[in-house]
Amino acid sequence: MEVLSSRILVRSADRATSRRFYRDVLGLAVNREFGPAEDPGVVYFLGQGLLEVSAHASGADRESATLWLQVRDVQKEHDRLVEAGVRVSRPPRLEPWGLVEMWIEDPDGMPIVLVEVPEGHPLRRDLRSFTPHPA
């Protein structure tokens, strides 16, 4: 499997406290924020990887950690992993936030999400050339 990027997802019951811990106590630099401005999810730089602190999805299991792996083609990985006998807990689908996701589990049951970022998705924008418009 060719992994293009990865992150560890931490599902926090109290994102404000978690943000203070990772930003202020550990001193991790912010990669990006997403979601509501009053209580955003945050992605931090974590050496060569990323750490995302976000809320539990409604109705989702209460796992506190998930491995997030970006791949080029989720359907191709689905077919390969099913053939290898990997348990797929959720087959590939386009999510409302525009990513194609598939969920599997490692042998100990830790959730792993395989993610494909489709053409035109905001995560594919190169923000280094972004110039904000004056207010």
Side-chain angles (χ1 to χ4, degrees), residues 100-112:
V100 178
E101 296 186 1
M102 172 183 83
W103 290 73
I104 61 174
E105 294 179 1
D106 80 356
D108 293 313
M110 183 180 79
I112 300 171

Side-chain angles (χ1 to χ4, degrees), residues 12-82:
S12 175
D14 182 349
R15 284 190 287 187
T17 298
S18 293
R19 282 192 302 270
R20 282 190 297 275
F21 174 77
Y22 288 108
R23 181 192 60 221
D24 302 334
V25 176
L26 294 186
L28 299 181
V30 173
N31 171 269
R32 71 182 189 93
E33 293 185 350
F34 59 94
E38 65 277 1
D39 189 23
V42 181
V43 179
Y44 298 94
F45 289 105
L46 192 62
Q48 296 295 327
L50 297 168
L51 171 70
E52 177 180 316
V53 178
S54 56
H56 292 278
S58 60
D61 292 334
R62 302 291 293 181
E63 271 85 3
S64 59
T66 303
L67 185 57
W68 187 98
L69 302 174
Q70 181 186 349
V71 299
R72 290 189 192 281
D73 186 333
V74 166
Q75 186 61 53
K76 179 179 173 184
E77 292 303 330
H78 171 270
D79 297 346
R80 186 181 70 78
L81 293 169
V82 165

